Amino acid sequence: MAESKKRKKVEQRRIARQQAEERQKKVAPPTGSPKWWVPVMVGLAVLGLLIIVIAYITGGRFPIPGLDNGNINLFVGIGFMLVGFLMTMGWK
């Protein structure tokens, strides 16, 4: 016996609905940042600040004593702070 057009359309809609539900199940919901992200981000920024403060207090001799030029310590501190700041863009 031949099927009616209406029955075919209903069947096609049911199949399309099932496929859409399967696709929604496969797609994982977006997750936030890992739990370690924020402590590392803040830690790098604070470490950079401490390096800069120590470099200013000691006249550039510390926290990295092997560097003759005191400005290198400042660049290292700014680098740590920059990495911490750049990590804020990945924080969700």
Side-chain angles (χ1 to χ4, degrees):
M1 183 178 242
E3 289 186 18
S4 66
K5 290 183 181 180
K6 185 173 184 179
R7 189 180 303 172
K8 286 182 182 178
K9 287 181 181 179
V10 170
E11 184 67 20
Q12 288 174 349
R13 287 184 192 145
R14 185 184 63 78
I15 291 171
R17 191 178 320 116
Q18 286 176 348
Q19 289 174 347
E21 289 173 0
E22 288 176 9
R23 274 184 263 142
Q24 287 178 349
K25 288 179 185 177
K26 289 181 183 177
V27 175
T31 59
S33 299
K35 292 186 178 190
W36 55 266
W37 192 266
V38 174
V40 170
M41 175 181 66
V42 173
L44 287 173
V46 171
L47 179 65
L49 180 65
L50 286 175
I51 289 173
I52 291 173
V53 168
I54 291 171
Y56 271 119
I57 291 174
T58 62
R61 292 185 305 263
F62 294 102
I64 304 173
L67 302 175
D68 294 332
N69 188 355
N71 290 335
I72 303 264
N73 283 321
L74 296 177
F75 293 139
V76 169
I78 290 171
F80 277 109
M81 290 177 68
L82 181 65
V83 171
F85 175 73
L86 291 175
M87 285 181 72
T88 61
M89 290 189 258
W91 180 31
K92 294 178 184 175

